[in-house]
Amino acid sequence: MPPEALLEWYVELGADEAIGEGATDWFATAAAAAAAPVAPAAPADAGGTAAAPAVSAPVSAPSIVQARPQPAPSGAVPATDGAARAARSLTDLRAALEGLEGFALKVTATNLVFGEGVEAPDVMFIGEAPGADEDRQGRPFVGASGRLLDRMMQSIGLDRTENAYITNILPWRPPGNREPTAAEIAVCLPFIRRHIALVRPRVVVPVGGTAAKTLLDQRQGIMRLRGRRFEFTDPDLEQPLPAVPLFHPAFLLRSAGQKALAWRDLLTIKQIIQ
Ligand code: URA
């Protein structure tokens, strides 16, 4: 097999980065992770949800969907819920993540990608998980999709240095950018919920299907969730926060025809913060 074909094969398998000088015994890593206390996935959501509006629904009148009360995170993931809820500040929360043990993604990732932006922002954008660029730099949304997200934000007067905050459901990159598993999401959920409570945004914007389903406790995909207004609730919040799901910029880079719908959602966000 020519070397280029071998490299392509590695990339298809998800081995797209050389991250160490020496060899790693991944069998030992996997065994350690399997022995670690990983929480079960949240129970399947049995309830139905309101039908998605027609694509032509006017921007000015998005329907408001009350997310069903979230199950107490403590029931689902006791191992991380205590550490997350004990955090009194973003500094505490970062330290709790840095101190988390027995989580395999920490071993394969290069950096913790905590989040960046201002506290009490107009909008908190929450993506799925860091990619290769984010993992290398330890910052969220800094690759191609991050550049598009920055432009989308700028189009409605938002900037991560002034009035917005950006983070992800998972603060560590899944190897090869694979989708996070339900168990990985369950472990990280108490942290992102606490992150939202500590950042205190006016509006929560789940970016992409994984973030929308996770934060809004929905089963439908982003095609059906976008274009609607939800409420994000948490026991640590005095009142529910408006939540507006948005297409992931990586999807928009592949499907430019969907940008018009994303623009409607951005206008909905702008309308709420005004
Ligand atoms: N995609 C995400 O969901 N998050 C990032 O930080 C980068 C790409």
Side-chain angles (χ1 to χ4, degrees), residues 15-261:
D16 57 357
E17 281 208 85
I19 56 173
E21 294 287 322
T24 302
D25 182 351
W26 295 111
F27 292 105
T29 307
V38 174
D45 169 7
T49 54
V55 157
S56 58
V59 166
S60 55
S63 55
I64 300 180
V65 181
Q66 169 86 51
R68 273 158 282 112
Q70 303 282 328
S74 55
V77 280
T80 51
D81 186 51
R85 296 195 80 171
R88 296 278 141 235
S89 65
L90 291 175
T91 310
D92 286 354
L93 190 69
R94 178 191 277 270
L97 285 165
E98 284 168 346
L100 183 67
E101 288 182 4
F103 192 48
L105 289 188
K106 273 188 84 167
V107 182
T108 50
T110 306
N111 281 302
L112 167 72
V113 180
F114 184 70
E116 70 181 28
V118 300
E119 288 189 40
D122 283 336
V123 182
M124 182 168 181
F125 292 87
I126 303 165
E128 176 176 310
D133 293 312
E134 291 76 19
D135 181 47
R136 225 174 279 124
Q137 296 187 36
R139 296 177 56 211
F141 280 102
V142 289
S145 56
R147 286 190 288 280
L148 177 55
L149 182 61
D150 278 334
R151 287 204 301 277
M152 291 162 71
M153 287 163 53
Q154 277 159 16
S155 71
I156 53 166
L158 296 171
D159 189 298
R160 61 175 95 188
T161 63
E162 286 169 22
N163 49 9
Y165 191 99
I166 306 182
T167 187
N168 284 296
I169 300 284
L170 262 64
W172 294 283
R173 180 195 183 208
N177 294 350
R178 66 158 170 75
E179 260 187 48
T181 65
E184 288 164 350
I185 291 175
V187 168
C188 296
L189 188 54
F191 290 108
I192 186 60
R193 296 185 72 85
R194 188 74 188 134
H195 209 146
I196 295 169
L198 290 169
V199 167
R200 293 173 290 115
R202 290 175 60 202
V203 182
V204 172
V205 174
V207 180
T210 300
K213 285 194 259 187
T214 303
L215 294 174
L216 305 175
D217 193 25
Q218 298 289 318
R219 301 179 78 187
Q220 292 173 309
I222 189 68
M223 284 292 180
R224 293 198 172 266
L225 295 177
R226 67 139 299 277
R228 296 158 65 187
R229 221 174 119 171
F230 291 81
E231 286 187 334
F232 174 80
T233 57
D234 187 89
D236 288 344
L237 289 171
E238 276 171 23
Q239 55 189 27
L241 297 174
V244 182
L246 189 64
F247 279 142
H248 198 289
F251 168 70
L252 294 174
L253 286 171
R254 295 191 302 272
S255 318
Q258 304 288 351
K259 283 185 181 167
L261 294 180

